[in-house]
């Protein structure tokens, strides 16, 4: 039984105006995944966002490091627009709330 580790989840995707460098036909779709550390399947904190492109015509998927420098720069520039949902901090928020609860209870004694 795995009680802690890392997982990857799909975050978001959107269309771009960039054409596929492989088939020169399709407009590339840009997708982002997030990596996070979990304990008992509760996300503790995210540690990496990765961008990748997929061509709707030839279905070629390229990670950011496989792309031409200008496409890689575009992906990295868009990365800051993709917000990390607060749910990926659920474990830290839970621990913070627990510590706050213990502190408040001890102050009231
Ligand atoms: Zn293509």
């Amino acid at each position: 039984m795995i009680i802690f580790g890392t997982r990857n989840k799909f975050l978001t995707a959107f269309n771009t105006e960039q054409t596929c460098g492989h088939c020169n036909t399709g407009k590339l779709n840009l997708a982002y995944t997030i990596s996070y550390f979990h304990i008992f399947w509760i996300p503790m904190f995210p540690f990496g966002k990765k961008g990748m492109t997929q061509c709707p015509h030839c279905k070629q998927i390229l990670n950011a490091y496989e792309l031409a420098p200008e496409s890689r720069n575009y992906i990295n520039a868009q990365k800051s627009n993709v917000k990390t949902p607060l749910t990926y901090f659920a474990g830290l928020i839970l621990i913070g709330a627990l510590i706050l609860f213990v502190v408040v209870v001890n102050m009231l004694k």
Side-chain angles (χ1 to χ4, degrees):
M1 191 172 82
I2 302 164
I3 57 168
F4 69 95
T6 60
R7 297 186 82 180
N8 296 310
K9 277 269 168 77
F10 169 79
L11 206 56
T12 185
F14 47 89
N15 301 322
T16 67
E17 287 303 309
Q18 297 197 325
T19 48
C20 175
H22 185 245
C23 64
N24 281 319
T25 307
K27 299 268 186 223
L28 293 174
N29 292 325
L30 190 55
Y32 287 93
T33 60
I34 192 163
S35 303
Y36 63 93
F37 183 78
H38 71 88
I39 297 175
F40 284 108
W41 305 279
I42 300 169
M44 297 305 280
F45 55 86
F47 62 86
K49 224 186 282 177
K50 271 189 200 153
M52 61 188 74
T53 61
Q54 191 206 15
C55 174
H57 183 73
C58 68
K59 307 294 181 202
Q60 186 188 43
I61 295 174
L62 292 174
N63 290 312
Y65 63 86
E66 296 170 310
L67 293 165
E70 63 268 17
S71 300
R72 195 181 314 145
N73 290 340
Y74 178 75
I75 280 187
N76 289 333
Q78 292 297 310
K79 196 187 274 188
S80 57
N81 294 335
V82 179
K83 297 281 176 247
T84 302
L86 217 55
T87 50
Y88 290 99
F89 294 96
L92 287 184
I93 292 169
L94 214 66
I95 290 170
L98 213 71
I99 290 171
L100 197 69
F101 176 75
V102 168
V103 167
V104 167
V105 164
N106 282 322
M107 281 168 69
L108 295 176
K109 275 184 182 172

